[in-house]
Amino acid sequence: MSDHRVLEAKIGTAGVQGTAELLPDADRHADWSAVRALWQQMGHMLDSGVGRVPAELTEGFVDEIAKVHANYAGREVLFCRHVLAVLADVEGEEILDVDTFRRRYEDDRFTAPAISSATSQRLPTHYETIVESCRRLRDARLLRAACHDTRSTGLLVGSACYGRFRNVRGSRLGTAASDLDLVVITEGSDALEELVAASAVLPGVSAADIERFRRRADVFADGLDDGRTVFSHKLGLWGDGTPDPLLPSGVARPGYLLSLHLMTRRVLEYTLVASAPRLIKESAGGRRTLRDYRETAAGRWDDLYDFAGRRHRMPLEGDQVDHGFLRTPRIYYIDEADCYFPGFYQTMMFPEPDLVWDGLDVLPALKAFRGKLHQRVRHESNQRVHTLLRPSFAHVRRDVFLPGIIRLLDAG
């Protein structure tokens, strides 16, 4: 039976299964001992009257979940079933059904504070973010399969990459679900028609969404594709009533947005400053911008941060064009003190994106850029010997990174 059918059969509207039935299979797939121990430790700590669980414990639990998940590549439904069985067993729950799923999905005992001070957004519960991360990983693979006949590359960025199993939210309590963020690279804009057709087979995408995507792709290809413009577009997934086997009906709304940033190879090379061997004014120039063809003009500021964590803000205005707006964000900026500020699209390339598929072999270009970025940090460190400089300080989303992501990024 397929992963999808397993979930439908065992945890559907009337599905019931004993926790003990799944535990032997879970233990055959992975070592769950650390996950069990940390979940039990967090529960015992709260039961003893401690007001909140230390961040080191919750982050340790996330790290262990990520390690176990590595044994379930491409089997997200089975993974979520096994997580539910293990956590239910620790809690002494004998039966797995929709109510068990809901209790774990809504279990916010270890989520404190309820709102992240870094993002002013609701923090997901542990099982919620596991399920929602898995839904996005699965759907990224579905897009890869749909794009197998196109010459393209897909990079998974955003929270599903650097906040997996920690910050990816569902639509519980009326909050907007986290997007699935992908950078898709093509040789030229002539490949957009194939990408639109590929997107039409994704689950729960409406015909109206695909038609809007097609109209905007035509506008981009006909007059905006100049080698310095990104085509950004969002599609609604699971929003047409299509049931998601990973999320039982009635627990939360399944719909969320697929956020696509489409670049031609020329735009990628321009963003990564491929023409310059070093990120210095003498060879790369003091600033570089690109155009971003977006659906809305949301966002008034172009906020960039340097490796010391200092912000540089400039107004970001948009000009209305057919079916959208053109904005001109900075790719990077080097100020009068010779401090480098990477822009939004450069920060998409670090921490290292997940390479979902790579039909254009862009991995060497990404590695070369990250090498130049760390070379730039060393260059500034030689000038400011007593200043603590870190690549992660330059990322606007650093506060929601997993601790391991920060360590790897700053270590180079």
Side-chain angles (χ1 to χ4, degrees), residues 86-340:
V86 168
L87 300 187
D89 187 54
V90 173
E91 299 287 340
E93 296 176 322
E94 182 181 357
I95 299 299
L96 297 182
D97 57 13
V98 173
D99 289 336
T100 313
F101 187 106
R102 181 180 291 105
R103 280 195 299 274
R104 294 282 74 81
Y105 192 89
E106 298 176 354
D107 183 1
D108 59 2
R109 291 174 296 164
F110 312 130
T111 307
I115 301 296
S116 165
S117 59
T119 63
S120 298
Q121 294 176 333
R122 179 182 65 83
L123 295 175
T125 72
H126 280 299
Y127 192 59
E128 174 190 356
T129 195
I130 289 168
V131 170
E132 297 298 340
S133 295
C134 285
R135 296 179 67 213
R136 284 150 185 78
L137 294 174
R138 175 204 58 195
D139 293 346
R141 285 201 322 277
L142 291 177
L143 183 59
R144 177 187 67 189
C147 291
H148 73 281
D149 287 332
T150 69
R151 289 205 64 215
S152 63
T153 289
L155 305 175
L156 178 64
V157 298
S159 60
C161 175
Y162 52 67
R164 188 179 306 165
F165 306 130
R166 185 193 186 195
N167 295 304
V168 183
R169 298 184 314 277
S171 61
R172 194 172 64 89
L173 300 178
T175 56
S178 299
D179 289 1
L180 169 60
D181 299 285
L182 284 165
V183 176
V184 178
I185 301 150
T186 66
E187 282 290 358
S189 58
D190 53 342
L192 287 179
E193 185 175 347
E194 295 175 326
L195 286 173
V196 172
S199 301
V201 306
L202 294 175
V205 177
S206 71
D209 263 8
I210 293 299
E211 181 56 33
R212 190 179 77 255
F213 191 10
R214 181 174 288 109
R215 288 198 303 268
R216 296 194 69 238
D218 289 343
V219 170
F220 177 79
D222 289 344
L224 299 179
D225 178 23
D226 59 357
R228 296 176 61 177
T229 304
V230 177
F231 174 29
S232 297
H233 191 82
K234 294 193 177 189
L235 289 170
L237 302 185
W238 302 102
D240 66 349
T242 301
D244 187 341
L246 257 173
L247 189 64
S249 176
V251 173
R253 296 191 309 275
Y256 73 85
L257 293 176
L258 168 63
S259 181
L260 295 170
H261 301 278
L262 305 170
M263 295 182 176
T264 63
R265 191 192 289 269
R266 286 177 60 198
V267 174
L268 178 69
E269 292 174 349
Y270 190 68
T271 301
L272 301 183
V273 200
S275 61
R278 299 178 64 193
L279 300 176
I280 58 175
K281 284 184 178 181
E282 291 78 8
S283 59
R287 63 179 283 146
R288 182 174 292 198
T289 62
L290 54 69
R291 300 191 306 173
D292 189 1
Y293 176 44
R294 304 176 63 90
E295 294 172 87
T296 67
R300 298 176 49 214
W301 302 103
D302 188 21
D303 284 337
L304 276 59
Y305 296 81
D306 72 356
F307 302 125
R310 182 167 54 102
R311 184 180 70 180
H312 190 278
R313 167 171 281 192
M314 287 189 64
L316 184 59
E317 299 179 355
D319 296 324
Q320 190 165 3
V321 295
D322 286 349
H323 302 294
F325 290 81
L326 271 179
R327 305 195 308 176
T328 309
R330 289 169 292 177
I331 294 176
Y332 68 85
Y333 169 67
I334 303 176
D335 70 3
E336 63 281 355
D338 197 31
C339 299
Y340 189 90

Side-chain angles (χ1 to χ4, degrees), residues 46-94:
L46 289 184
D47 291 343
S48 72
V50 174
R52 59 182 295 185
V53 174
E56 292 87 348
L57 264 183
T58 58
E59 289 166 358
F61 178 81
V62 172
D63 285 342
E64 294 301 330
I65 284 289
K67 291 175 186 177
V68 172
H69 176 260
N71 297 283
Y72 289 83
R75 293 176 294 175
E76 278 77 25
V77 173
L78 185 63
F79 175 66
C80 289
R81 287 286 298 156
H82 285 173
V83 173
L84 184 61
V86 168
L87 300 187
D89 187 54
V90 173
E91 299 287 340
E93 296 176 322
E94 182 181 357

Side-chain angles (χ1 to χ4, degrees), residues 337-338 377-387 389:
D338 197 31
V377 176
R378 292 194 296 271
H379 166 77
E380 293 190 22
S381 296
N382 291 333
Q383 310 303 315
R384 298 187 281 171
V385 294
H386 298 300
T387 302
L389 304 178

